[in-house]
Amino acid sequence: MAKFHLNTQKLVQGESTLKKVNLAFVFQVNCPGCFIYGIPIINNLYQSFQDKVGFIGVATAFEDFEFNNEANLKLLLENGTLVGETKKYYYTNYGVTTYLEKLNFPVAFDTITPSEQFINSNNIELMCNAIPDFANFSETEKEILVTKVKAYYSQIPLIAETFTLNQLRGTPSFIIFDDNYTILGSYFGHPNEGVLKIQLDKLLS
């Protein structure tokens, strides 16, 4: 079973306790969809399940580092300050520059690492093993893929570890995992809140 690699910095808000069932919400502050769809869903789930499920919000950055950073995350948590495309969306559609819904769940910022530090045999192995059927590749195929992965990430100056090690498709992403960090479910984009509730109830029972 695949493992969830949670490589965040210290919590910026709240306290997070690892439980039998846990839910990570991975988002970017410069991601309108994360605010329109993701945060309301995770807030509702937190309200319903906080006594039984461990929650952690992970603000990450795989682009637009001038907006997706810890300083802007802190401003968001402190007073709802919006930035970049998120700010543009809310101002254009609602005439506001602050986010009116408070993030109620614990939040940390992803660990951001220079590529030359990130690219090592352990991290490359973790990412390659996340690829379906990688274990069944021939040794030659494995070597070719490892070379391609190293070449790709060497071109990226800064790398968000949680986002990259888990090979997430984008934000928002929701990852359900157990107390051994085994992934029990993974959802990208705008999942139905009812589906997530059903899955959590099923795992808790």
Side-chain angles (χ1 to χ4, degrees):
M1 297 288 287
K3 295 289 185 178
F4 181 53
H5 306 286
L6 185 60
N7 289 25
T8 58
Q9 301 178 40
K10 66 179 181 180
L11 283 162
V12 177
Q13 170 178 284
E15 296 182 6
S16 181
T17 303
L18 188 68
K19 298 182 180 179
K20 290 290 184 181
V21 178
N22 306 275
L23 178 58
F25 170 63
V26 184
F27 68 103
Q28 294 186 105
V29 295
N30 190 35
C31 168
C34 295
F35 289 74
I36 301 166
Y37 306 103
I39 292 173
I41 289 175
I42 198 71
N43 267 344
N44 289 339
L45 293 174
Y46 182 72
Q47 183 177 359
S48 299
F49 291 97
Q50 60 180 301
D51 294 333
K52 300 177 182 178
V53 173
F55 283 83
I56 179 68
V58 180
T60 191
F62 59 85
E63 60 187 359
D64 304 327
F65 288 87
E66 70 273 24
F67 295 120
N68 293 315
N69 54 55
E70 187 174 1
N72 285 333
L73 171 64
K74 289 179 177 178
L75 288 173
L76 170 67
L77 296 174
E78 289 168 3
N79 52 36
T81 298
L82 297 173
V83 297
E85 292 300 315
T86 310
K87 179 179 179 180
K88 184 187 297 184
Y89 172 85
Y90 278 93
Y91 183 74
T92 300
N93 290 278
Y94 304 106
V96 299
T97 57
T98 57
Y99 193 58
L100 301 180
E101 185 164 354
K102 179 177 172 58
L103 282 67
N104 296 320
F105 46 92
V107 183
F109 194 72
D110 207 345
T111 296
I112 307 296
T113 307
S115 59
E116 60 267 22
Q117 294 181 24
F118 177 82
I119 299 173
N120 57 58
S121 57
N122 183 57
N123 286 342
I124 297 299
E125 181 180 358
L126 287 176
M127 289 188 290
C128 288
N129 284 332
I131 297 171
D133 296 324
F134 178 75
N136 297 323
F137 286 13
S138 69
E139 289 305 314
T140 300
E141 290 173 327
K142 287 180 179 179
E143 289 177 6
I144 291 172
L145 182 58
V146 166
T147 300
K148 288 183 177 179
V149 170
K150 287 181 178 178
Y152 174 78
Y153 285 105
S154 66
Q155 301 175 41
I156 303 174
L158 297 172
I159 295 176
E161 293 194 9
T162 300
F163 181 87
T164 304
L165 289 175
N166 293 289
Q167 294 291 278
L168 298 180
R169 294 164 57 194
T171 55
S173 287
F174 302 77
I175 300 93
I176 303 173
F177 59 101
D178 66 14
D179 51 355
N180 289 314
Y181 292 92
T182 299
I183 295 176
L184 307 174
S186 183
Y187 308 83
F188 164 62
H190 313 140
N192 184 285
E193 184 180 328
V195 171
L196 289 170
K197 283 185 176 181
I198 290 170
Q199 181 70 352
L200 291 174
D201 278 327
K202 179 181 178 181
L203 291 168
L204 290 169
S205 64

